[in-house]
Amino acid sequence: SPAIPQQQQQQPPPKGTPGQSNLSMNQTLEGHQGNIMVVTWNEHFRKLTTSDQNGLIIVWMLHRGIWFEEMINNRNRSVVRDMKWTPDGQKICIVYEDGAVIVGTVDGQRLWGREVKTQLAFVEWSPDSKNILFCTLTGEVHVYDNEGIYSHKVAIHCLDEGTHTNVPVAGIQWYDGHRGPEPTVPALAIAFENGRVQLMRCDTDDRPILLDTQMKCSALRWSPSGTAVTIAGMQAQGETTGEGGSMREVGVVQFYSPMGQHLRTLRVPGHSLKAISWDGAGLRIALAVDSHIFFANIRPDYLAAYFSHTLVYAVLKKERNEYAVIFWDTRRDERYTKYIKKLLHVKAGEDYCVLATKTEEAAEQHILIVCNDIGSPVQSQYLTIEPLHVCMTSSHVMAASEDTVYIWQYRSSLPSRGGVAGVGDTLTLTATSASTIPPGSASAGLVPQPHRRRVEQMFHIDEYEGGASDKEAFRHPGTVCQDPIACIAASDSCLVVGRESGTVQRYSLPHLALDGKVLIQTRPQVLAVNCASSCMTCIDINGILTLYNIQHRGKGQMGEQLDFERKDVWDMRWASDNPDLFALMEKTRMYVVRGTDPEEPVLSNGYICSFKDLHIQSALIDDLMKNPDSAKKDILLEFDTKSLRDTSDILTKVSNLKDAFTYVEENPHPRLWRLLAEAALDQLELSVAEKAFVRYEEYQGIQFVKRLRMLDDKVKQKAEVAAYFQRFDEAEHLYFDIDRKDLALDLRIKLGDWFRVIQLTQGGAGAGASEILHRAYSEIGDYYADRGKWLQASQYYAKAGNNAALVEAYYLLEDYEKLRGMIDALPEGDPLLAELGRRLTTVGLCEAAVGAFLRVGDVKAAVDSCVILNQWDLAVDLAEKHSFQQIETLLAKYAQHLLDKTKKLEAVQLYRRANRHQEAARLLAQVGKTLGPPQFHPDRHKKLHLLAALEVEKYKKKTFDGGGAGGTNITAQTLNSLITQDQTMLMAGDKSLENPWRGVEAYHVYMLAQKQLFDGSMEAALRSCIRLADYEDHLDVQTIYSLLALTAYYTKFFQQASKAFIKLEASPDIPKATRQKYEDLALAIFTKHPPRDPASRMLPCPRCNTPIADWTVICPHCSYRLPFCVASGRPIFKKYLTPEAASSLAASASNAVEPAASETIQCKTCKHRMYASEARRLRHCPFCHSLLVHKYVS
């Protein structure tokens, strides 16, 4: 963080200059009667606290623009030596020279006081306000808690043995701000008057960082960001003054990093430097020198870089405790943000930037990430050294620790022909890093190639005799380097490494041969090499810039210092295309230097981003950091060099180009030759333009001049020049002036200005005009389509007659009605119909898709569309109509696909739609077997058996109808192949399907018995349970006979109950313990009740007329199985009604006449009967649940 002394200026300072306004207030605060001894500021409550030599303390506050006294306190016993507010501003601690300590609140309330038995000099709060540190006049530091209870003494390591009690403390401060993702960085700084300083992580740190500033310290302050600690004092110089021969002392401010690295030295004129203070933004410091206040501007070393029109900068987000790295495309004003936890450096090359970070997994491992201009990582490498210094070129990334240099060739340094870096370049990668190349990197030249040279090299700065080693083979010697590395810099062909002693070592790239050394008088801080690797600039720790020759072959001596020196320099950059030009920032002025001759300065405070084509671009990063999330383009500044400005003035003011040509010859530069060539073209001085293009080495420009000479009309030449300079409206007007509308039209077509093409074409006649108009409409449609504006695109596609694009537009607009309309609009056989059919299929419009496929004659695609959308009926119809014989294969494949995914019900639905009823019935029966015992979801059991039975009935009906048709054509054969003609084979495949209604009857009777039981209809439940005993092939024994025993017991049919218990006790499927319980229960019942049934009503058997009980299921005489009423479960004894009687009964039913109790009706769907008396209240069959059409059976 270089410090630049600020001078008073009469003219307004440039935009973005820190401290650009003078002091906003100048008010004398009257109230003290003696010299002011201590001043402290409360940031949170904006209060100023002062104390004088008499011990008077005044708290000042600002009210309506005027400072006035808020509180006054005077102990009248001793002098106040120091006062400090807590970090939150709630409490203040005041220490007196006699050892008295007072702690109070911001409202003036005294909390506690204590007498410390020693003289005090300084006080400091811990960041959490839990501890107070007291410094004595003898140099000791004591720690108390916030209640005034002694804790311990801080160990002082920076002083020599025997001097601990003789050296007073010069200053103490514990940084209380946010330190980011590195909380272990030292924050407590203690400075002594002899120049010794120790930086501690906490008050008990036993390994602090020790400094020797070599001066007499008087003050110490942390920067607001905590990235630097400033130590002020007086330092003796080598010269003596006066007769006594004492050494002359000058004011010095030293800047150190929290880890003790010396950053910068600032020398201040005067005889006594007593105090130092930072402003809140960290961009200025104020120094109390003698009776003056000096201000110095601080130029922070931001984490920022510029490349490829992209400004990348990092901002610490306190709420996330990580860095937000923002990639700002300054051309398109677009931003891309990525977050990194521990960011150390941001450097840039020509087309990429590198981010140096510290990994969270391993404490000693770091990573270099190469990113493109949108922040996407392109390549990365892990480091085993700490990258204290990083630089980047167009082909290499260099990192250095204190003693080790790492070189990574992330990209070949040999660009393709034409000089376009990145196109056709090759990269040599290690086997471990090749897999990290992202897709699409080939266009950037980042394609792994076979090994040609070592990609990662490392060497120790003191042991280079053996040359550089591979990263894997490098071994650190283990010795401590006595001359650490201070900075590094590189160009495309050389690397320079600066050391703290002032030695700069030059290495050639990519072979890393040591070419020589340069000796500098002071420690270098910033090095830079020109594009030709012939000169090097050095900014030392005092801010002095010097220039050196580092060309080991050629003119001059290697390491020779050139006759150029500037002071107070804080930034510089070499021109990327001229080895003699560089720009530097000195205070608030920017100089452009050609060789060793500086041009006239311009006022600026921006950091230099780029210097190319005599054009300098800089950025006001100070202003950017105030609002980093919404950067505006006004922070970007652009400057031209004097030669470029002069050439522009000559070309503007002088009509004769000979003077300009002479001036450019004296100051040659490609940018000036290009400027001259453009001016000559504008004046149609073709000979001058051709010479300038030759000097500029632009072949296209030379060819353009030759083409101009071939034109016989000056107006045409002017129009071509106007088009060359992109003044297209002017060129069009010139063409119209000579009545060449065709040339104007060609110009607009080449430009792609299709709106203007339409304006020029409308009203024209002929096929050519119509063709151009249609092309223009289509191109405008493409314009809107590229931007996702499909509605406008569809309108222009319709005007252009571009049906293919129109289909795409309607599809993306989801305008399916218009897509359907295009089926008839397109001619039959048009290949676009096939694409239209595919689009319609994807959105589920099966019929429209089939129509499109049929118009193009692709029956197979139509059938495939039906299969995809599960429209199997339509698929079969298509197969029948168009003699398509492959539908069965498709059915089989799709059904198997569903079965493989255990989607049996979906397969059933598929078979039903395809009229393959036997497969559907078989699958339904299989699903029914997986439902478990009937006690659980008997309704589901019944439904599945019912669906299977209905499918079997459909199969039977279809088989019968198909056999009766007797068709012999191909369609009939195809349909007949979808079913199995032999019904016996179907029944043999699954016994449950031999009589599919039997399973339905079993679960129907079971559910009916349960319903009657819960309704209290015990006799009806008994009849149902007795019939239930006939379905042991579908229901288990325990379920049937336990229910039968229960109903028989309640109806006193003990003989039926006895038979049920016998079944339960003898069934091997029932556990033995349960059978024993049945035996015990049966014994308890039948010891009280003999196994006899009560008398029942006797009815004649419908077949043999033998009287049998009304609950009988099978006649014991003729073995006739009596049908049952599916509504009540009762056996049906009587014969059916005649049609006449049935009609009469139906008429009487409509007149609410009660039908006879013995009359029955039959369901047309399941063919099961029920008593008419039970069915009169039903709309659906209780058995198959189909709509009940009363068919009275005769």
Side-chain angles (χ1 to χ4, degrees):
S1 301
I4 310 301
Q6 181 176 341
Q7 299 178 346
Q8 296 292 333
Q9 300 174 352
Q10 298 298 327
Q11 68 274 20
K15 185 182 186 308
T17 303
Q20 54 181 321
S21 61
N22 293 325
L23 296 177
S24 60
M25 177 175 291
N26 186 7
Q27 177 186 346
T28 301
L29 304 183
E30 298 179 356
H32 288 287
Q33 303 299 322
N35 295 333
I36 304 299
M37 305 297 291
V38 182
V39 177
T40 184
W41 172 253
N42 189 327
E43 176 65 26
H44 286 269
F45 293 92
R46 316 295 291 177
K47 294 183 179 182
L48 179 68
T49 309
T50 58
S51 177
D52 59 19
Q53 65 184 24
N54 301 319
L56 177 65
I57 302 174
I58 301 178
V59 178
W60 309 83
M61 68 176 298
L62 184 66
H63 180 68
R64 295 183 178 179
I66 301 297
W67 288 93
F68 68 93
E69 301 173 359
E70 182 189 21
M71 291 179 286
I72 298 178
N73 181 28
N74 193 350
R75 185 165 169 263
N76 291 322
R77 293 177 58 185
S78 181
V79 179
V80 176
R81 293 303 303 266
D82 198 11
M83 300 180 293
K84 287 291 175 61
W85 291 92
T86 56
D88 58 4
Q90 294 289 343
K91 294 187 287 186
I92 188 173
C93 181
I94 306 171
V95 297
Y96 292 84
E97 188 176 21
D98 60 358
V101 179
I102 298 175
V103 175
T105 66
V106 69
D107 299 326
Q109 179 183 0
R110 175 169 173 167
L111 296 178
W112 56 268
R114 181 175 296 276
E115 295 286 341
V116 180
K117 298 178 181 180
T118 183
Q119 291 183 319
L120 300 179
F122 295 99
V123 63
E124 180 60 285
W125 289 90
S126 64
D128 57 5
S129 304
K130 293 183 179 179
N131 293 322
I132 310 176
L133 279 66
F134 297 112
C135 299
T136 67
L137 292 179
T138 58
E140 295 180 346
V141 181
H142 299 271
V143 181
Y144 288 73
D145 65 9
N146 56 6
E147 299 294 334
I149 301 175
Y150 177 79
S151 175
H152 60 278
K153 183 188 296 185
V154 177
I156 305 300
H157 300 273
C158 61
L159 299 178
D160 298 332
E161 292 291 337
T163 62
H164 291 76
T165 59
N166 298 329
V167 183
V169 176
I172 181 173
Q173 186 181 11
W174 202 331
Y175 178 74
D176 57 2
H178 183 76
R179 301 303 292 266
E182 292 287 351
T184 59
V185 174
L188 175 59
I190 306 174
F192 294 86
E193 290 187 0
N194 65 351
R196 302 292 180 88
V197 180
Q198 72 179 32
L199 305 178
M200 309 177 68
R201 295 166 181 83
C202 61
D203 54 352
T204 58
D205 188 3
D206 57 351
R207 299 184 64 184
I209 296 174
L210 309 180
L211 305 176
D212 187 357
T213 61
Q214 300 293 326
M215 65 180 184
K216 183 179 180 181
C217 296
S218 58
L220 174 146
R221 280 291 181 272
W222 283 101
S223 67
S225 62
T227 56
V229 58
T230 52
I231 305 168
M234 303 300 293
Q235 188 176 56
Q237 299 294 313
E239 302 175 359
T240 58
T241 59
E243 297 179 357
S246 61
M247 302 183 69
R248 184 173 63 91
E249 290 187 342
V250 296
V252 175
V253 180
Q254 304 278 17
F255 295 81
Y256 290 89
S257 71
M259 300 306 296
Q261 180 184 4
H262 187 206
L263 302 176
R264 181 60 69 92
T265 299
L266 175 64
R267 303 189 184 278
V268 183
H271 299 89
S272 176
L273 175 57
K274 290 296 186 182
I276 184 173
S277 179
W278 286 79
D279 76 339
L283 299 178
R284 285 194 303 175
I285 57 174
L287 307 172
V289 182
D290 298 336
S291 59
H292 306 283
I293 297 178
F294 285 9
F295 292 93
N297 289 336
I298 302 299
R299 311 304 305 166
D301 187 12
Y302 293 109
L303 293 173
Y306 184 86
F307 68 101
S308 185
H309 302 286
T310 299
L311 181 63
V312 53
Y313 55 95
V315 183
L316 179 62
K317 297 293 184 180
K318 296 181 180 180
E319 65 277 5
R320 297 178 59 123
N321 199 31
E322 58 185 351
Y323 286 93
V325 183
I326 302 173
F327 292 78
W328 178 26
D329 188 336
T330 57
R331 276 187 172 178
R332 295 175 291 182
D333 198 20
E334 296 177 355
R335 294 168 186 83
Y336 309 90
T337 304
K338 65 182 305 180
Y339 291 93
I340 296 179
K341 191 72 173 178
K342 298 178 181 180
L343 182 65
L344 304 178
H345 300 278
V346 178
K347 301 296 178 182
E350 184 176 353
D351 298 316
Y352 301 93
C353 72
V354 63
L355 308 178
T357 68
K358 185 177 181 180
T359 58
E360 298 184 33
E361 294 80 9
E364 299 299 328
Q365 202 168 41
H366 299 77
I367 184 171
L368 297 176
I369 306 173
V370 175
C371 300
N372 58 15
D373 54 359
I374 61 173
S376 298
V378 175
Q379 181 63 283
S380 62
Q381 292 291 353
Y382 283 89
L383 296 180
T384 56
I385 63 173
E386 182 181 3
L388 300 177
H389 316 281
V390 178
C391 67
M392 185 180 191
T393 68
S394 61
S395 56
H396 291 78
V397 174
M398 295 82 169
S401 62
E402 289 186 347
D403 55 6
T404 304
V405 179
Y406 166 84
I407 300 94
W408 170 28
Q409 184 181 356
Y410 73 95
R411 184 178 181 182
S412 174
S413 61
L414 299 176
S416 61
R417 295 188 63 181
V420 182
V423 180
D425 296 358
T426 58
L427 175 69
T428 313
L429 299 174
T430 61
T432 57
S433 65
S435 60
T436 62
I437 293 292
S441 299
S443 61
L446 300 173
V447 181
Q449 299 291 327
H451 285 270
R452 297 177 183 174
R453 59 172 66 92
R454 291 180 295 187
V455 175
E456 295 180 271
Q457 302 180 68
M458 298 180 68
F459 65 89
H460 192 273
I461 194 67
D462 289 333
E463 300 183 4
Y464 191 74
E465 289 76 7
S469 304
D470 284 337
K471 174 184 175 182
E472 292 77 10
F474 174 77
R475 296 294 181 269
H476 193 279
T479 58
V480 178
C481 181
Q482 302 299 323
D483 187 10
I485 298 173
C487 54
I488 61 173
S491 66
D492 288 339
S493 59
C494 82
L495 166 69
V496 290
V497 180
R499 310 179 70 172
E500 291 188 358
S501 64
T503 302
V504 179
Q505 300 174 195
R506 183 191 191 277
Y507 301 87
S508 63
L509 292 177
H511 306 292
L512 286 177
L514 181 60
D515 298 328
K517 298 181 179 181
V518 179
L519 298 179
I520 301 175
Q521 298 299 322
T522 56
R523 194 186 81 188
Q525 188 176 41
V526 179
L527 298 176
V529 183
N530 65 356
C531 60
S533 303
S534 58
C535 287
M536 176 188 72
T537 55
C538 171
I539 302 176
D540 61 18
I541 60 172
N542 298 315
I544 299 176
L545 183 142
T546 50
L547 188 63
Y548 297 89
N549 176 27
I550 60 171
Q551 191 171 8
H552 66 289
R553 296 175 185 174
K555 297 181 180 179
Q557 183 180 358
M558 172 71 175
E560 176 186 3
Q561 181 175 350
L562 304 182
D563 187 16
F564 183 82
E565 182 176 300
R566 306 295 296 191
K567 296 181 180 180
D568 297 328
V569 177
W570 52 273
D571 192 16
M572 70 83 51
R573 182 175 291 271
W574 286 94
S576 60
D577 55 356
N578 192 322
D580 296 328
L581 287 177
F582 65 92
L584 61 90
M585 296 299 303
E586 181 181 306
K587 297 183 179 178
T588 58
R589 296 183 297 271
M590 183 179 71
Y591 290 87
V592 176
V593 182
R594 182 184 293 273
T596 57
D597 300 326
E599 297 179 357
E600 295 178 2
V602 293
L603 291 177
S604 174
N605 197 47
Y607 287 76
I608 302 175
C609 295
S610 65
F611 188 4
K612 186 177 182 180
D613 283 343
L614 304 180
H615 181 78
I616 302 170
Q617 188 168 12
S618 60
L620 299 174
I621 302 184
D622 294 332
D623 295 347
L624 176 64
M625 292 300 172
K626 295 178 183 177
N627 193 7
D629 295 327
S630 57
K632 298 181 179 179
K633 284 192 174 183
D634 58 359
I635 70 164
L636 301 175
L637 307 177
E638 296 184 355
F639 304 94
D640 293 333
T641 63
K642 183 177 182 300
S643 58
L644 183 57
R645 295 195 303 269
D646 293 344
T647 304
S648 300
D649 291 340
I650 292 174
L651 295 175
T652 303
K653 298 176 181 179
V654 180
S655 59
N656 189 358
L657 295 180
K658 292 183 179 180
D659 296 337
F661 191 88
T662 304
Y663 179 80
V664 176
E665 275 191 322
E666 295 173 355
N667 302 276
H669 190 277
R671 175 73 181 275
L672 300 182
W673 286 118
R674 187 181 69 189
L675 198 64
L676 178 60
E678 292 173 353
L681 281 178
D682 217 10
Q683 300 181 21
L684 295 182
E685 293 286 346
L686 301 184
S687 60
V688 177
E690 185 175 21
K691 292 179 182 178
F693 276 128
V694 170
R695 298 293 185 90
Y696 183 49
E697 299 180 358
E698 184 177 350
Y699 178 76
Q700 292 84 357
I702 299 172
Q703 293 299 317
F704 179 68
V705 173
K706 291 182 178 179
R707 191 166 66 251
L708 288 178
R709 284 177 174 165
M710 296 173 63
L711 299 177
D712 54 354
D713 192 342
K714 288 288 186 182
V715 179
K716 286 184 182 180
Q717 291 179 343
K718 288 183 179 181
E720 289 290 332
V721 171
Y724 179 82
F725 290 121
Q726 299 184 2
R727 301 195 298 264
F728 305 115
D729 292 337
E730 179 184 344
E732 181 181 317
H733 288 308
L734 290 171
Y735 284 133
F736 275 109
D737 291 342
I738 59 175
D739 197 19
R740 291 301 302 271
K741 181 180 177 181
D742 58 326
L743 296 178
L745 188 60
D746 291 341
L747 174 64
R748 291 299 178 179
I749 291 176
K750 290 178 181 178
L751 294 175
D753 188 358
W754 299 105
F755 291 99
R756 183 58 180 163
V757 170
I758 292 175
Q759 295 176 2
L760 296 176
T761 307
Q762 284 178 344
S770 177
E771 182 179 350
I772 293 175
L773 195 61
H774 281 80
R775 179 186 174 190
Y777 282 132
S778 184
E779 293 287 349
I780 294 175
D782 292 341
Y783 168 83
Y784 284 117
D786 292 341
R787 287 153 181 79
K789 300 179 179 180
W790 292 103
L791 182 60
Q792 295 90 330
S794 64
Q795 296 171 357
Y796 281 98
Y797 285 144
K799 292 179 181 181
N802 190 345
N803 293 324
L806 197 58
V807 169
E808 178 74 14
Y810 287 155
Y811 178 76
L812 293 174
L813 286 172
E814 300 180 3
D815 193 346
Y816 304 126
E817 290 299 325
K818 291 185 178 179
L819 278 179
R820 285 195 184 99
M822 291 194 67
I823 297 175
D824 297 327
L826 293 173
E828 191 169 349
D830 192 331
L832 186 59
L833 286 167
E835 177 63 23
L836 184 57
R838 286 190 288 270
R839 295 298 180 103
L840 292 170
T841 301
T842 59
V843 295
L845 300 177
C846 183
E847 294 182 2
V850 168
F853 286 126
L854 292 181
R855 279 182 61 83
V856 81
D858 193 347
V859 179
K860 183 180 183 302
V863 174
D864 291 341
S865 177
C866 296
V867 172
I868 292 173
L869 298 177
N870 289 329
Q871 298 295 326
W872 295 100
D873 294 338
L874 184 56
V876 173
D877 293 340
L878 286 174
E880 178 182 357
K881 186 176 181 180
H882 297 279
S883 302
F884 185 73
Q885 302 183 15
Q886 291 144 359
I887 186 65
E888 184 177 359
T889 304
L890 295 174
L891 274 173
K893 288 183 178 179
Y894 187 59
Q896 187 61 42
H897 170 74
L898 294 175
L899 292 175
D900 291 342
K901 291 188 174 183
T902 65
K903 296 182 178 180
K904 292 186 177 181
L905 292 179
E906 288 83 351
V908 168
Q909 189 69 9
L910 169 66
Y911 283 134
R912 292 185 63 204
R913 290 182 177 180
N915 292 327
R916 300 183 64 167
H917 306 294
Q918 73 278 27
E919 286 85 351
R922 184 179 292 110
L923 283 177
L924 286 169
Q926 293 176 4
V927 174
K929 293 178 181 178
T930 62
L931 292 181
Q935 298 90 335
F936 304 105
H937 307 294
D939 54 338
R940 295 184 183 178
H941 282 275
K942 178 187 173 182
K943 289 177 183 178
L944 290 172
H945 283 82
L946 176 60
L947 290 174
L950 292 175
E951 291 301 312
V952 171
E953 292 298 326
K954 290 179 182 179
Y955 167 75
K956 293 178 179 178
K957 184 177 183 301
K958 184 177 179 182
T959 304
F960 175 76
D961 295 342
T968 58
N969 54 39
I970 299 177
T971 302
Q973 293 177 6
T974 303
L975 294 176
N976 288 334
S977 66
L978 296 175
I979 62 174
T980 304
Q981 296 295 327
D982 192 355
Q983 184 179 353
T984 59
M985 294 179 62
L986 168 67
M987 296 179 179
D990 193 337
K991 292 183 178 181
S992 63
L993 298 179
E994 295 178 4
N995 188 1
W997 292 107
R998 181 172 174 79
V1000 187
E1001 292 172 358
Y1003 291 103
H1004 176 77
V1005 174
Y1006 175 73
M1007 295 170 62
L1008 182 62
Q1010 293 280 5
K1011 179 179 181 301
Q1012 292 166 342
L1013 182 63
F1014 280 98
D1015 290 342
S1017 302
M1018 295 300 176
E1019 292 183 1
L1022 176 64
R1023 292 188 184 95
S1024 299
C1025 291
I1026 292 174
R1027 182 166 294 275
L1028 197 63
D1030 195 31
Y1031 297 102
E1032 292 186 15
D1033 54 339
H1034 286 86
L1035 300 174
D1036 61 279
V1037 173
Q1038 187 174 8
T1039 299
I1040 296 173
Y1041 291 101
S1042 60
L1043 189 60
L1044 176 58
L1046 179 64
T1047 55
Y1049 175 78
Y1050 280 113
T1051 56
K1052 302 185 184 305
F1053 278 73
F1054 295 110
Q1055 184 178 358
Q1056 301 299 324
S1058 175
K1059 293 179 180 179
F1061 274 109
I1062 291 172
K1063 277 283 189 180
L1064 291 172
E1065 294 171 8
S1067 175
D1069 297 331
I1070 302 176
K1072 185 176 181 180
T1074 306
R1075 294 202 305 268
Q1076 184 61 42
K1077 292 180 180 179
Y1078 284 135
E1079 291 180 5
D1080 298 340
L1081 180 60
L1083 182 62
I1085 292 175
F1086 296 116
T1087 54
K1088 296 180 181 180
H1089 306 285
R1092 293 194 297 270
D1093 292 338
S1096 301
R1097 188 174 62 158
M1098 305 300 287
L1099 295 174
C1101 173
R1103 175 178 292 180
C1104 64
N1105 289 326
T1106 303
I1108 57 177
D1110 61 353
W1111 44 261
T1112 305
V1113 176
I1114 302 175
C1115 177
H1117 301 282
C1118 64
S1119 300
Y1120 173 69
R1121 184 182 298 274
L1122 278 75
F1124 68 97
C1125 172
V1126 295
S1128 62
R1130 291 185 295 157
I1132 297 176
F1133 284 89
K1134 295 295 182 180
K1135 293 184 179 181
Y1136 314 136
L1137 292 177
T1138 62
E1140 294 78 7
S1143 300
S1144 175
L1145 181 61
S1148 64
S1150 62
N1151 295 321
V1153 177
E1154 186 74 19
S1158 60
E1159 295 163 348
T1160 64
I1161 62 174
Q1162 185 181 57
C1163 176
K1164 292 182 64 176
T1165 302
C1166 62
K1167 304 298 188 296
H1168 283 71
R1169 302 203 304 275
M1170 67 200 79
Y1171 284 108
S1173 59
E1174 299 288 346
R1176 62 186 178 84
R1177 295 183 300 271
L1178 302 175
R1179 297 186 61 187
H1180 294 82
C1181 175
F1183 188 77
C1184 67
H1185 308 287
S1186 59
L1187 185 62
L1188 191 60
V1189 179
H1190 288 198
K1191 178 184 177 182
Y1192 294 92
V1193 183
S1194 60

